[in-house]
Amino acid sequence: MKYPAVFEPAEEGGFIVSFRDIPEAITQGDTEEEALAMAQDALVTAMDFYLEDGRQVPMPSRRLKGEKLVEMPVSVSAKVLLLNAMLSDNCRPVDLAHRMKIKPQRVTEIMDLNHSTKIDTIAAAFKALGKSIELRVS
């Protein structure tokens, strides 16, 4: 998942980074490279808010002229897509646990961005929702 971001020069130097799709993610950096690293971190932090609140995460829109794409880690993207699938299916974490035949606490771990989750476990969660994961290298 690559979100378009605006890197605006700051008056005091450096860059301010904002995302139209994820307004909660705003950050800055002294250099363009630092601003990019901070932007990736801001995106992940914003995703934590969406997961905690149980809110649908907007999908990335097309990049407009002057914007740069900021990529989220694949592990975070998978959990965000799982959250969106659960919300679309009106599936609560306890319902997913029941479908997967696991304890509800395990679903909490799966949905935790700070918890390392095997891709096979995430794939099993999608399967319980009647969906599948497809990997593509480009």
Side-chain angles (χ1 to χ4, degrees), residues 68-135:
K68 297 178 187 220
L69 293 176
V70 178
E71 188 171 8
M72 281 199 314
V74 173
S75 59
V76 174
S77 297
K79 291 182 180 195
V80 164
L81 293 171
L82 179 58
L83 169 69
N84 283 355
M86 289 173 64
L87 292 171
S88 293
D89 200 33
N90 290 321
C91 180
R92 301 171 301 161
V94 69
D95 300 328
L96 182 60
H98 180 73
R99 291 180 191 185
M100 294 178 70
K101 297 179 175 60
I102 61 175
K103 294 181 180 181
Q105 297 89 332
R106 185 73 183 107
V107 172
T108 301
E109 290 175 353
I110 292 169
M111 300 306 295
D112 183 348
L113 296 182
N114 296 310
H115 185 271
S116 182
T117 307
K118 291 182 179 183
I119 193 69
D120 292 342
T121 302
I122 294 173
F126 275 110
K127 186 175 182 179
L129 293 169
K131 301 190 180 309
S132 63
I133 291 179
E134 293 181 18
L135 295 177

Side-chain angles (χ1 to χ4, degrees), residues 14-15 23 97 130:
F15 298 88

Side-chain angles (χ1 to χ4, degrees), residues 1-76:
M1 296 175 73
K2 298 176 185 178
Y3 283 89
V6 175
F7 285 63
E8 294 181 71
E11 283 184 27
E12 64 278 0
F15 298 88
I16 297 170
V17 184
S18 60
F19 299 85
R20 353 184 217 110
D21 300 319
I22 311 293
E24 299 87 349
I26 298 176
T27 191
Q28 65 183 45
D30 291 334
T31 65
E32 202 167 328
E33 184 178 282
E34 182 181 295
L36 175 60
M38 297 299 289
Q40 290 168 328
D41 186 56
L43 264 181
V44 172
T45 300
M47 294 305 125
D48 248 339
F49 298 139
Y50 283 91
L51 269 92
E52 286 174 13
D53 297 345
R55 290 185 293 140
Q56 190 90 15
V57 177
M59 300 287 26
S61 57
R62 290 187 152 206
R63 182 176 67 88
L64 300 176
K65 186 176 179 179
E67 293 179 324
K68 297 178 187 220
L69 293 176
V70 178
E71 188 171 8
M72 281 199 314
V74 173
S75 59
V76 174

